[in-house]
Amino acid sequence: MNTRPDPDLTLTRMATAFAALGSEHRLSVLKTLVRAGPEGLSIGELGARAGVTGSTLTHHVRVLAQAGLVSQERRGRSIICAAAAYPEMRALSDFLLSECCADAAAPHAEHDHG
């Protein structure tokens, strides 16, 4: 039984996440949520800190949530957003660095990120 992840599915998942980050506004929103920590921020506070508000913020949060990078939770009358996918974000960086220098003639120790 093969328990290794399907490389095509992994590539698709990574491409979806990277595509979600392909906007300065979305990257700013995610960075703001990462800085806020696991408690997250209300949608109003998130908008104020990230400099993105209204329907534009709603759109960007939705794209990030669909990529699995952000969660949204209703608390009373507020919607709280949080960077819920710290493991997913680590997987993105690991994906990029996992084969660092694999094709180089002489891999350098300073490139070892593992």
Side-chain angles (χ1 to χ4, degrees):
M1 178 179 196
N2 186 1
T3 59
R4 294 182 56 164
D6 181 334
D8 291 336
L9 290 177
T10 299
L11 189 60
T12 299
R13 194 177 99 239
M14 294 296 122
T16 299
F18 279 116
L21 295 173
S23 153
E24 288 179 31
H25 285 117
R26 285 192 292 274
L27 196 54
S28 177
V29 166
L30 185 61
K31 185 175 179 182
T32 300
L33 289 172
V34 168
R35 289 178 57 92
E39 288 300 310
L41 297 168
S42 71
I43 200 82
E45 184 64 22
L46 173 58
R49 290 187 189 185
V52 183
T53 57
S55 62
T56 302
L57 177 61
T58 302
H59 165 74
H60 290 308
V61 169
R62 183 174 56 246
V63 171
L64 291 167
Q66 288 171 342
L69 298 171
V70 169
S71 69
Q72 297 178 74
E73 175 186 336
R74 182 168 290 282
R75 290 188 200 154
R77 292 175 26 181
S78 297
I79 296 176
I80 306 299
C81 300
Y86 289 100
E88 185 72 16
M89 288 182 276
R90 180 167 305 282
L92 289 172
S93 70
D94 290 348
F95 174 78
L96 287 176
L97 298 174
S98 66
E99 297 185 36
C100 178
C101 309
D103 294 334
H108 299 285
E110 65 266 17
H111 292 291
D112 184 13
H113 299 285

